[in-house]
Amino acid sequence: MNGLRGQSLTVAVGVLLVFMPFWMGAIGGYTELATRILVMGLAAMSLNFLLGFTGVLSFGHAAYFGLGAYGAAMAIKYLGTGTLPAIALGMVVATVAAMIIGALIVRRRGVYFAMVTIAFGQVFYFLAFRWNSLTGGDDGLTGWHRAPIDFGVATLDIFGNDKAFYYFVLVIFAVSVGAMALLLASPFGRTLIAIRENERRARFLGVPIEFHIWLSFVISCLFVSVAGALYALLNNFTDPRALRFDLSGNLVIMAVLGGMRSFWGPLIGAAIFVALQDFVSSRTENWMSVIGLVFVLVVRFFPRGVLGMLRNAAKA
């Protein structure tokens, strides 16, 4: 029954995403907002790979989101690469950094792990903030834009056509979440859940805990860097705020809001967060107060998140 329910939810999410540029307009939204929901949803689901399924909290994932963004932007601006190679370069830069930093912090647990991830994240933030000649400093990296993709027989105009860019992002999103789903369904994914549930018992059974947490951290950072690269392409711009720790906090809020122990929960949380941010920020500068209130209410009354609330309602 749970498998059937999970498949039904996946199909429902897929249908909603495929047609989102069309129904979003009917409720007062727009295509760029739909694309932003996809990008931030991918970022939140990537963080949840580590948080929800491995049980390790990171407040430094913005560093790898930002490295993906800057890597893609610099590849286009300074190297003149196409869009796809730029995304790949952003992924490589962020993943290599995650491999190195993860090896340094993997033995930390709980609040110590979270604080160390913030510390390393702030190092990257201040590098981007201060290195004006390379990153543009506080003004951000400008003077570049995503380019249409030439497939030889046809060209995909992701620069001038918002819907074309949305479906380009949707394909990358689908490949990324499909890869995460396969990993979580594999013996490796089951081992991560065992570590989350009882690390001491998993260690007693001979599971190399540090290696699995390191690999989970690296995989999580790889996918969040894809989201960062897509975010830079969406805006044709990136700045140090893409690396700042409060973005990491927002990703945690999205995961918890939607339901961090479920696969699709963070996407739902990201959709609520981004839509509320867009709607409320156009009416008041204190939009975070509204999101904070919603977050407190959900955590207080629905500890399993919005998706958990919907599942309980369906059972009733």
Side-chain angles (χ1 to χ4, degrees):
M1 178 65 74
N2 287 335
L4 181 61
R5 186 180 294 125
Q7 291 174 4
S8 300
L9 177 60
T10 299
V11 170
V13 169
V15 171
L16 286 172
L17 293 181
V18 167
F19 294 103
M20 185 153 64
F22 302 98
W23 62 258
M24 181 69 77
I27 61 173
Y30 48 96
T31 303
E32 185 181 341
L33 178 62
T35 308
R36 204 184 320 153
I37 288 172
L38 266 188
V39 171
M40 298 313 296
L42 175 58
M45 293 177 74
S46 302
L47 170 68
N48 197 54
F49 190 93
L50 180 68
L51 173 61
F53 292 100
T54 314
V56 177
L57 173 62
S58 167
F59 275 118
H61 262 49
Y64 311 99
F65 183 92
L67 285 173
Y70 271 103
M74 289 180 181
I76 295 173
K77 182 177 176 67
Y78 297 125
L79 302 179
T81 67
T83 300
L84 292 175
I87 295 173
L89 185 58
M91 289 171 54
V92 169
V93 170
T95 304
V96 170
M99 291 171 69
I100 296 170
I101 293 170
L104 297 175
I105 67 176
V106 72
R107 294 186 181 278
R108 306 279 78 82
R109 292 292 183 274
V111 68
Y112 301 104
F113 185 94
M115 294 304 292
V116 173
T117 58
I118 291 177
F120 277 107
Q122 288 302 97
V123 170
F124 290 114
Y125 168 76
F126 282 109
L127 279 173
F129 188 83
R130 295 292 186 183
W131 202 346
N132 292 56
S133 60
L134 183 67
T135 66
D138 192 37
D139 294 328
L141 193 63
T142 58
W144 63 277
H145 60 79
R146 62 182 185 265
I149 302 174
D150 186 5
F151 293 104
V153 296
T155 299
L156 182 65
D157 183 15
I158 61 171
F159 178 64
N161 188 324
D162 287 345
K163 281 190 173 64
F165 183 64
Y166 172 84
Y167 285 107
F168 169 75
V169 172
L170 180 59
V171 169
I172 296 177
F173 174 89
V175 171
S176 299
V177 300
M180 282 190 277
L182 287 174
L183 286 169
L184 290 171
S186 71
F188 170 72
R190 300 303 178 190
T191 304
L192 296 183
I193 295 173
I195 293 171
R196 180 194 72 188
E197 294 299 320
N198 194 321
E199 181 180 325
R200 175 179 287 183
R201 181 173 295 177
R203 190 184 297 276
F204 178 76
L205 292 173
V207 175
I209 301 296
E210 281 71 27
F211 173 75
H212 278 78
I213 292 177
W214 174 81
L215 191 53
S216 176
F217 178 78
V218 171
I219 292 170
S220 176
C221 292
L222 184 153
F223 287 117
V224 87
S225 73
V226 176
L230 293 173
Y231 192 74
L233 294 172
L234 170 63
N235 299 310
N236 295 309
F237 171 81
T238 191
D239 68 359
R241 284 176 295 181
L243 293 148
R244 210 164 61 183
F245 73 92
D246 56 342
L247 176 59
S248 298
N250 290 345
L251 296 180
V252 173
I253 289 174
M254 292 174 195
V256 175
L257 187 63
M260 68 177 184
R261 292 201 172 185
S262 59
F263 187 73
W264 292 113
L267 175 62
I268 295 172
I272 294 170
F273 187 100
V274 173
L276 270 177
Q277 179 186 24
D278 183 78
F279 178 78
V280 179
S281 64
S282 64
R283 288 158 175 78
T284 175
E285 294 181 356
N286 300 317
W287 60 271
M288 274 302 293
S289 300
V290 176
I291 291 178
L293 177 61
V294 171
F295 179 69
V296 169
L297 291 174
V298 169
V299 171
R300 173 64 181 83
F301 295 105
F302 310 107
R304 293 188 177 273
V306 172
L307 186 55
M309 174 190 70
L310 294 176
R311 283 174 170 165
N312 289 337
K315 290 178 182 178

